Amino acid sequence: MHDLKAVSTLFDLRGDFVHGYSYGSGHINDTYCIWVDQAGQRIRYILQRVNHNVFKQPIPLMENVKRVTDHALKRLKEEQCPEAYRRTLTLVPSVDGKPYALDSDGNCWRVYPFIERAYDQIETTRQCQEAARAFGEFQKLTADLPGEPLFETIPNFHNTTSRLAALKEAIQSDPLGRVKEVQKEIDWYLSRESDCHLVVDYLKSGELPLRCTHNDTKLNNVMLDDVTGEGICVIDLDTTMPGSAIYDFGDMIRTATSPAAEDEKDVSKVTMRMFMFEALVQGYLSSAKSFLTPLEKSLLPFSGKLLTMECGIRFLTDYLSGDVYFKIHRPEHNLDRCRTQMALVESIEAQMDEMKAIVDRY
Ligand code: ADP
Ligand code: GN1
Ligand code: MG
């Protein structure tokens, strides 16, 4: 545990630190909720340590986040949107006026106002639709971000071909001797190798456009209003950078359509529910229809298979490598995650024709 009180003094919080604790269930950064007393009023903030094992260059990453959040706020204000500061993340500056602060160990920290009266769990079709609409709106917003393209915080993040190559390397080096336990899973992923190239090839040939995308559209990365259910604020902007709309939609299918958790041990509970898929299509197209190309639209059903497979490949690679990337809370956590992704891919494969029919209908 870090000294949260000491870290909080690096930021211009206009108050006294009261207490802080670990918060949320993200797999990457260290996230804390901290309470601050401001002239007698208690306010909470999100304090985060950027994981520099994953994000090798936190400072250009923070410059990305600053550019995107400033642009979002400017737009919301121009549109005279009520509660603008609840509809986008905003960065609380450090005492020396930067959007982040470095501690004496070289950790990069940031503070966001806590988005109040909102939640990040999705259970109903309406919530699903709203989340997808919000991610579509976010893509629209970043499409007219002025200036240079954003810095690529993790090169080849969604390059499924390189993800598969990394899996093969982990199989070769097998540092913990785990390969023999998971041959079935390895064979399963390797048998789907041909699916890994498609989107990468289309991007290379220019048939698919490179856009500014979120790239981590997991459903707990969007906050919904706790009264209206409206998708109000997209969070976790670390991977917002050049990418494909296919990646963003695919990860929504991966995280929203199954009733089972990503780390469910009983994979018979994992299934792609068509009504949730339909809600995603409805919500996403309500904001993205105007800018998606026909090829992008036609790849929406496949995107779910691709991103689920890719994430499974990453979980299996991390398991073989000794769990060095994703946070784990039990010994075979990454292996359980890799197995749920397999079950979900199989469920998507079995329903692909109906998924295509739904996209055509909308
Ligand atoms: P990670 O990259 O580790 O996933 P996130 O930025 O997604 O980190 O934060 C982890 C969790 O913390 C989120 O899923 C969300 O529940 C919560 N969270 C993050 N930022 C805020 C915020 N500004 N207000 C309220 N909750 C937040
Ligand atoms: C990570 O940071 P978080 O928990 O929202 C990961 C995503 C994976 C996801 C799997 C930067 O997302 O790419 O899809 O876990 N983020 C990064 O749950 O690697
Ligand atoms: Mg997150």
Side-chain angles (χ1 to χ4, degrees):
M1 182 83 168
H2 298 273
D3 182 348
L4 302 181
K5 185 173 180 178
V7 176
S8 71
T9 62
L10 303 172
F11 291 90
D12 188 11
L13 290 171
R14 310 283 165 104
D16 303 308
F17 175 88
V18 181
H19 71 127
Y21 43 85
S22 283
Y23 192 81
S25 53
H27 293 346
I28 303 295
N29 296 308
D30 293 342
T31 304
Y32 303 96
C33 171
I34 58 165
W35 286 88
V36 173
D37 187 305
Q38 290 177 344
Q41 175 85 37
R42 292 213 171 162
I43 308 275
R44 55 181 167 166
Y45 291 92
I46 288 287
L47 171 65
Q48 268 184 334
R49 187 186 71 89
V50 179
N51 181 337
H52 57 240
N53 182 35
V54 164
F55 299 107
K56 308 285 182 206
Q57 296 196 60
I59 294 173
L61 175 152
M62 287 310 299
E63 282 156 4
N64 278 1
V65 175
K66 175 82 175 127
R67 281 178 63 193
V68 171
T69 52
D70 280 357
H71 181 60
L73 189 64
K74 180 168 168 272
R75 275 277 216 83
L76 288 163
K77 284 183 171 172
E78 280 165 5
E79 289 158 19
Q80 299 189 334
C81 196
E83 299 192 312
Y85 287 86
R86 199 170 154 253
R87 288 171 182 270
T88 170
L89 288 178
T90 48
L91 286 157
V92 175
S94 68
V95 285
D96 48 7
K98 294 207 177 75
Y100 58 88
L102 299 176
D103 69 16
S104 50
D105 298 324
N107 292 304
C108 179
W109 294 86
R110 64 185 166 210
V111 173
Y112 296 119
F114 195 100
I115 311 290
E116 298 287 352
R117 293 170 284 112
Y119 58 93
D120 65 358
Q121 301 297 316
I122 270 114
E123 275 155 19
T124 67
T125 50
R126 153 113 173 99
Q127 291 166 336
C128 218
Q129 204 177 325
E130 268 304 303
R133 188 194 54 74
F135 280 124
E137 290 296 336
F138 181 80
Q139 288 176 345
K140 259 197 215 160
L141 175 94
T142 50
D144 65 1
L145 183 75
E148 299 279 291
L150 291 174
F151 169 73
E152 206 176 353
T153 56
I154 301 181
N156 288 317
F157 188 57
H158 282 304
N159 184 325
T160 319
T161 316
S162 4
R163 294 295 188 181
L164 192 73
L167 173 61
K168 289 179 181 171
E169 273 169 39
I171 296 168
Q172 275 295 316
S173 59
D174 194 17
L176 284 102
R178 287 178 170 175
V179 165
K180 58 183 181 301
E181 299 162 24
V182 294
Q183 201 55 55
K184 202 174 98 222
E185 287 77 7
I186 291 175
D187 292 343
W188 188 96
Y189 281 104
L190 294 183
S191 74
R192 281 160 176 80
E193 177 154 14
S194 60
D195 287 318
C196 295
H197 303 280
L198 192 72
V199 169
V200 176
D201 291 346
Y202 278 141
L203 284 168
K204 225 180 267 170
S205 67
E207 284 160 277
L208 274 178
L210 206 56
R211 303 181 182 280
C212 180
T213 47
H214 183 281
N215 294 304
D216 192 359
T217 53
K218 188 165 154 174
L219 270 279
N220 71 1
N221 287 332
V222 57
M223 309 296 293
L224 306 183
D225 183 277
D226 68 1
V227 174
T228 64
E230 186 193 352
I232 50 160
C233 185
V234 168
I235 62 168
D236 202 347
L237 307 178
D238 299 332
T239 51
T240 302
M241 58 184 170
S244 165
I246 296 308
Y247 302 144
D248 278 3
F249 194 69
D251 214 52
M252 294 183 222
I253 301 177
R254 183 183 80 77
T255 55
T257 61
S258 171
E262 185 181 74
D263 58 358
E264 172 62 55
K265 281 175 176 289
D266 177 1
V267 294
S268 70
K269 291 185 183 160
V270 177
T271 173
M272 204 295 297
R273 292 172 299 174
M274 200 58 78
F275 57 93
M276 291 301 248
F277 174 74
E278 182 162 358
L280 285 179
V281 172
Q282 237 177 322
Y284 184 56
L285 290 185
S286 73
S287 47
K289 201 175 189 168
S290 59
F291 63 80
L292 291 179
T293 66
L295 181 61
E296 284 174 316
K297 287 177 192 157
S298 76
L299 285 170
L300 293 180
F302 172 74
S303 74
K305 176 177 172 183
L306 180 71
L307 270 281
T308 307
M309 206 166 60
E310 181 188 288
C311 204
I313 290 172
R314 295 173 62 197
F315 289 142
L316 183 56
T317 307
D318 200 32
Y319 180 70
L320 293 177
S321 312
D323 308 302
V324 292
Y325 186 95
F326 296 105
K327 287 185 187 210
I328 57 161
H329 306 288
R330 53 177 189 257
E332 296 196 338
H333 212 159
N334 273 317
L335 187 55
D336 292 337
R337 291 168 175 155
C338 136
R339 290 177 175 148
T340 58
Q341 306 306 289
M342 292 161 63
L344 187 57
V345 168
E346 286 177 2
S347 177
I348 294 173
E349 284 172 345
Q351 302 181 79
M352 191 55 87
D353 290 342
E354 205 181 325
M355 291 168 80
K356 285 182 182 157
I358 285 175
V359 172
D360 286 346
R361 204 174 326 133
Y362 284 93

